[in-house]
Amino acid sequence: MKTTKTNLERRGLLKALAVAPVAGVAVAAAPAVASDAAEAKGKQGYRETDHVRRYYASLRGE
């Protein structure tokens, strides 16, 4: 019984060591991506293009 418990603990440790670097990179990259998207969105703003106007007209039944 004791060897089984020890093996499971080791497996958990090895899994955590394998996943930790990947998770760290994802966390480090996420704020940079989010801030870039917010800046780009703020600069462009809402634009009503012909495509959008046609869609609105189709909703009104025109």
Side-chain angles (χ1 to χ4, degrees):
M1 275 298 235
K2 190 170 188 175
T3 58
T4 304
K5 185 177 181 182
T6 305
N7 286 339
L8 291 177
E9 290 174 358
R10 287 181 186 167
R11 288 180 186 164
L13 175 65
L14 291 175
K15 286 179 186 177
L17 290 175
V19 173
V22 175
V25 169
V27 170
V33 171
S35 65
D36 290 343
E39 289 177 11
K41 186 177 180 182
K43 291 180 182 178
Q44 291 179 356
Y46 176 77
R47 291 181 291 168
E48 190 174 313
T49 61
D50 290 332
H51 172 66
V52 174
R53 287 185 198 108
R54 284 189 306 239
Y55 176 72
Y56 289 158
S58 72
L59 292 177
R60 290 189 299 262
E62 296 175 3

